[in-house]
Amino acid sequence: MTRFHRIEQAELLPYIGKWLAISAAVAVLAGSASAFFLFALDWATRWREAHRQAIWLLPLAGFAVGWVYHRLGKSVDRGNNLLLDEIHDPKKVVPLRMAPLVLGGTVVSHLFGASVGREGTAVQMGGALADQLTLLLRLKAEDRRILLMAGISAGFASVFGTPLAGALFGLEVLAIGRMRYDALFPCVVAAIVADQVGLAWGVHHTHYAVAQVVPVAFWSVAAVVVAGIVFGLAGLTFASATHRLGGLMKRWIAYPPLRPLVGGAVVATAVWALDGYRYIGLGIPTIVQAFQEPLAPWDWLGKLAFTVASLGSGFKGGEVTPLFYIGATLGNALAPLLHLPFPMLAALGFVAVFAGAANTPVATTVMAVELFGPDIGPLAAIACVASYLCSGHAGIYHAQRVGQSKHQAAGLPADLRLEEIAGYRKAERSRHAPE
């Protein structure tokens, strides 16, 4: 028995050394790319805020982004879903062009006023850059899966400054109800080092202050469960509306570059008519404001509508920061109804809407602790899990698989893609229908 343990540990040392080196290389690539992206995004945001009339150029910017992707980016247009599919079913190395295309497309989208985020860009850059090591190091399919997961973790961690949440996100986002622990060490190393690389480049992340967290008690738990249910329904609404609009746009408009042109015209007109400048871009100032004072109770709905219109029509970027905005402002609006401090409920909404929309309750609970401190941990876990359950088997990543159903009544088979669930349920209803 002792001899077996000696052999096992001896075999483990090369494994640790191998993935320590590979994960560090992935982290340097992803962290540096995220730092450059965040600097470019800050510049684009400052320029747009100084030139508000540039919103009228959004349709042309959308057409330009759509045209470039139509001509050069068809192989990478599926973005995060391409990375998830390659992890589940490895076929070929992700083209390097994904990184510059999504970087340029996202910066242009922000420059002229689309309501998009930044997580998708960082994750795609991290995954695409990491996958280039596959050929260089002649990695096998199983190692390539781990490499892509490390790239996703590194991109997420470096763009938000949450290394532990980033590591868990790369493990948890692949399949509902199932995590792959064989990639735990590479994802943890890649996420932590990537975050440090970003900080070394001079990246500064936004800090959110939660002055008061109520004690864990029957009334506070009950109120947070209610809030979590609402957060989950908001995440479900966002994911479903975005996918449905995207499908309708593809059905109505055959030529891809025209879709963001039309979407850009709608967004620009709505911004002008409704004075909706607070609903475009990342919206970080409004998120910070949600932690400081009561806001208009419809702010979350405005951000949801503008983001669905932007992403659904084909603008490039991420979903997560808009989900932070939706969650924080929705929590701010719910606070007086549930008799909870609005900074605390804004913080819970910040992570819980994302938990429901992305089906990642563990990563978002850890994110709450990293961003807002350990005191909020128990209530954040309750809000994130309640949101995760109530968002159903849907999500912003339609290539995500069902590892294990959220509840027994769902009865979904393993490895079913989220976009296939509706068809599966329809087939099951037809099969059990009376003759």
Side-chain angles (χ1 to χ4, degrees):
M1 200 70 178
T2 306
R3 183 172 177 271
F4 170 78
H5 282 298
R6 279 203 300 268
I7 294 173
E8 182 182 11
Q9 304 313 317
E11 291 176 347
L12 188 61
L13 289 176
Y15 172 87
I16 292 176
K18 167 187 168 181
W19 282 109
L20 188 62
I22 293 176
S23 300
V26 168
V28 171
L29 293 172
S32 299
S34 291
F36 179 79
F37 169 56
L38 290 175
F39 293 142
L41 208 54
D42 286 343
W43 169 81
T45 300
R46 289 195 304 269
W47 186 89
R48 187 191 69 243
E49 291 174 347
H51 302 84
R52 286 195 162 193
Q53 296 304 314
I55 189 69
W56 293 111
L57 296 176
L58 185 60
L60 295 179
F63 182 85
V65 171
W67 184 85
V68 170
Y69 263 84
H70 182 60
R71 294 298 301 270
L72 303 175
K74 290 181 181 179
S75 61
V76 297
D77 192 40
R78 292 173 53 242
N80 290 343
N81 292 301
L82 173 62
L83 297 180
L84 295 184
D85 278 338
E86 285 296 325
I87 293 172
H88 287 293
D89 185 19
K91 292 180 180 177
K92 60 180 181 179
V93 173
V94 175
L96 180 59
R97 69 182 65 184
M98 173 183 273
L101 283 176
V102 73
L103 171 64
T106 304
V107 171
V108 170
S109 297
H110 278 281
L111 187 64
F112 295 101
S115 178
V116 294
R118 51 190 174 174
E119 151 273 338
T121 306
V123 165
Q124 289 175 52
M125 289 194 301
L129 291 170
D131 208 16
Q132 306 312 305
L133 298 177
T134 296
L135 296 177
L136 181 64
L137 302 177
R138 299 179 181 179
L139 298 179
K140 298 178 181 178
E142 193 57 35
D143 285 343
R144 181 172 174 247
R145 288 190 178 99
I146 296 175
L147 180 71
L148 283 170
M149 293 167 69
I152 290 173
S153 294
F156 190 97
S158 57
V159 82
F160 291 125
T162 53
L164 298 183
L168 290 172
F169 180 80
L171 297 167
E172 192 177 18
V173 74
L174 304 180
I176 293 176
R178 183 176 66 200
M179 294 178 68
R180 288 190 45 164
Y181 288 95
D182 59 335
L184 181 59
F185 180 73
C187 286
V188 167
V189 172
I192 293 174
V193 176
D195 178 52
Q196 292 299 311
V197 168
L199 295 176
W201 281 111
V203 169
H204 296 283
H205 299 288
T206 306
H207 294 280
Y208 306 95
V210 181
Q212 180 185 2
V213 177
V214 299
V216 176
F218 174 79
W219 67 271
S220 61
V221 170
V224 168
V225 168
V226 172
I229 292 171
V230 177
F231 295 146
L233 294 176
L236 171 63
T237 301
F238 176 87
S240 300
T242 303
H243 292 321
R244 184 164 297 183
L245 179 60
L248 290 174
M249 293 292 284
K250 290 177 181 178
R251 195 179 312 159
W252 292 339
I253 303 175
Y255 187 52
L258 289 180
R259 296 169 197 155
L261 185 147
V262 172
V266 171
V267 170
T269 303
V271 168
W272 171 76
L274 303 174
D275 192 25
Y277 288 95
R278 67 190 286 109
Y279 303 128
I280 61 176
L282 290 175
I284 297 295
T286 305
I287 297 175
V288 173
Q289 195 178 4
F291 287 79
Q292 298 172 345
E293 61 188 22
L295 300 179
W298 55 80
D299 273 347
W300 70 273
L301 188 59
K303 185 62 172 177
L304 187 150
F306 276 87
T307 308
V308 167
S310 298
L311 292 174
S313 61
F315 282 94
K316 300 302 175 183
E319 302 92 345
V320 175
T321 305
L323 287 168
F324 291 162
Y325 184 121
I326 294 167
T329 52
L330 179 57
N332 184 286
L334 289 175
L337 301 177
L338 297 174
H339 303 288
L340 292 173
F342 65 82
M344 187 194 83
L345 207 53
L348 295 181
F350 184 106
V351 292
V353 172
F354 173 36
N359 296 304
T360 53
V362 178
T364 47
T365 299
V366 173
M367 173 178 269
V369 173
E370 288 186 293
L371 291 176
F372 312 126
D375 291 346
I376 205 170
L379 294 177
I382 293 169
C384 289
V385 171
S387 176
Y388 163 77
L389 290 173
C390 292
S391 66
H393 292 84
I396 52 179
Y397 308 119
H398 56 230
Q400 199 173 42
R401 308 292 177 95
V402 176
Q404 183 175 352
S405 298
K406 294 184 181 182
H407 49 84
Q408 291 182 350
L412 296 173
D415 292 326
L416 192 68
R417 300 169 89 243
L418 294 192
E419 65 178 352
E420 298 169 346
I421 290 177
Y424 171 81
R425 285 174 170 164
K426 183 178 180 181
E428 285 295 294
R429 285 194 297 269
S430 299
R431 191 164 65 89
H432 291 98
E435 294 294 337

